Amino acid sequence: MNQDRPIGELLREWRRRRGLSQLDLALQADVSARHVSFVETGRTIPSSAMVLRLAEHLGVPLRERNRLLVAAGHAPVVRERPLKDPHLASARNVLEQILRGHEPYPALAVDRHWNLLFANSAIDVFLEGVDAALLRPPVNMMRLGLHPGGFASRLLNLGQVRGFLLPRLARQVAQSGDAELSALYEEVLSYGPAGDPRPPDPAEIALPVRIRHRGAELCFINTITTFGAAFDVTLEEIAVEAYFPADDDTARFFRTAATEPSA
């Protein structure tokens, strides 16, 4: 989304992306539809409080709220610092503690573009044997999972995984308007067969992952956690993926590996 565009255009785009009419938004935000119309057409420049009020009811991500504020001539109000910033040291420690606490099973943290930020020691189940080019930073986990040179070749249920991941990525593109995510979606879509992927079974609440690894067939269920109370743009955009054993054989494999001495 281009922050040089007028605030009215940007708000109208977000409203339409959410499938709301001007009246719908006005009722939710407890303002007049006339005021919403005037803001969108540029007849009124909203205050910073009004920008944030409308953005809240539109579910606009923190990063984009800052852009809306700048487009309206106001200063950003939500902090955005790189993850290596000293002020985020405690947040980094919490993330690393979460990942270590999930061992001996795989867990990792990614940013809004699915680039790998942190991982625990069990992540080798996904990294082993993949094309070296895919491991050059930043490692993109969406690409790594669906690229023929990634661990897609070891997935026993690749069609099912595509059926979960591609619609999720498409929703992220639609909700965020992020050009980089859109390009990533088009890229990973091209790796598979033409046409829409098979939709997931409505009864499945988590992504099942079945993969060959070191002569074994492992089965996980995948969950994704985000931090709804984040106070920083960077932190709001982090997601933690945790993989849980879906059967006794998988659990046994990792428990055994965890007790074996390192080479």
Side-chain angles (χ1 to χ4, degrees), residues 211-261:
I211 189 170
R212 296 188 197 89
H213 181 64
R214 299 183 182 177
E217 292 187 6
L218 306 178
C219 186
F220 304 98
I221 55 173
N222 163 275
T223 63
I224 298 178
T225 303
T226 57
F227 302 95
F231 54 86
D232 185 282
V233 171
T234 299
L235 298 181
E236 187 202 42
E237 294 173 343
I238 292 175
V240 173
E241 290 194 60
Y243 293 82
F244 296 83
D247 56 41
D248 291 340
D249 288 341
T250 300
R252 190 178 304 111
F253 176 93
F254 281 96
R255 287 198 302 267
T256 300
T259 59
E260 291 178 347

Side-chain angles (χ1 to χ4, degrees), residues 32 58 76 83 109 120 127 145 147 186 219 225 233 240:
S32 71
L58 288 169
L83 196 54
N120 67 14
L127 303 185
H147 192 286
E186 294 299 326
C219 186
T225 303
V233 171
V240 173

